[in-house]
Amino acid sequence: DEFNRIELPVLSVAAQQIAIVLACKKDRKPQFIFTDGDTVKMNSEFGLFLTMNPGYAGRQELPENLKINFRTVAMMVPDRQIIIRVKLASAGFRKNVVLACKFYTLYKLCEEQLSKQVHYDFGLRNILSVLRTLGEAKRQNPDDP
């Protein structure tokens, strides 16, 4: 996850290791020798997927020898209100549509109107964390609406 947060020297080593594994797969070899000298059995059904969030501070550009081995796939912004509704419903909240609307509105207003400070986090990870905690509270008190 967020592969481009890795520092450039480490990315360079990772690129070499990925190249070894991909060459083995391409040549359909049953095993390969890793950079540390270990012999590793090849599972031809493996896949490599990298996630990146470009444009943020502290992110690295991928080296060309790594970039050429992967295809870019554009992602869209998730619909937070649907995610919130599903999480609430799965936790047992009967009025999940109304609650999801209120929860979404609260987070959206906080994100838009509160000052932009590092310790404020209104992203999806934070939303899911709060919903997990809410789900635990609901499981302890299942009769509460």
Side-chain angles (χ1 to χ4, degrees):
D1 190 26
E2 295 192 45
F3 207 75
N4 56 333
R5 289 180 95 176
I6 301 171
E7 294 178 14
L8 197 55
V10 178
L11 272 177
S12 182
V13 172
Q16 291 173 347
Q17 293 173 336
I18 289 170
I20 291 169
V21 174
L22 291 177
C24 178
K25 181 173 181 157
K26 182 181 175 188
D27 297 340
R28 299 176 189 251
K29 293 182 178 177
Q31 61 188 23
F32 60 93
I33 299 173
F34 225 23
T35 53
D36 61 0
D38 287 347
T39 300
V40 179
K41 184 178 175 187
M42 180 65 172
N43 179 347
S44 61
E45 296 180 11
F46 85 97
L48 288 172
F49 303 91
L50 306 179
T51 59
M52 296 175 41
N53 289 316
Y56 290 96
R59 301 306 199 270
Q60 302 289 332
E61 183 70 23
L62 286 184
E64 285 300 317
N65 62 343
L66 187 57
K67 211 184 276 188
I68 61 171
N69 291 313
F70 294 94
R71 229 180 288 169
T72 301
V73 177
M75 304 296 281
M76 58 185 252
V77 176
D79 187 332
R80 291 180 180 181
Q81 192 164 354
I82 291 173
I83 293 169
I84 293 167
R85 179 181 173 204
V86 169
K87 293 295 265 182
L88 288 169
S90 67
F93 288 92
R94 282 175 245 132
K95 296 184 180 183
N96 55 67
V97 176
V98 175
L99 287 172
C101 184
K102 290 180 179 182
F103 195 95
Y104 173 77
T105 303
L106 171 69
Y107 263 76
K108 187 166 176 51
L109 288 172
C110 287
E111 194 171 34
E112 291 171 354
Q113 296 181 5
L114 292 176
S115 61
K116 307 291 181 212
Q117 295 188 34
V118 185
H119 59 275
Y120 288 154
D121 179 12
F122 302 108
L124 188 57
R125 284 187 182 139
N126 180 267
I127 291 171
L128 293 174
S129 176
V130 171
L131 290 172
R132 256 190 311 276
T133 303
L134 193 59
E136 289 171 16
K138 178 67 173 169
R139 282 188 290 282
Q140 291 173 359
N141 302 295
D143 296 329
D144 286 356

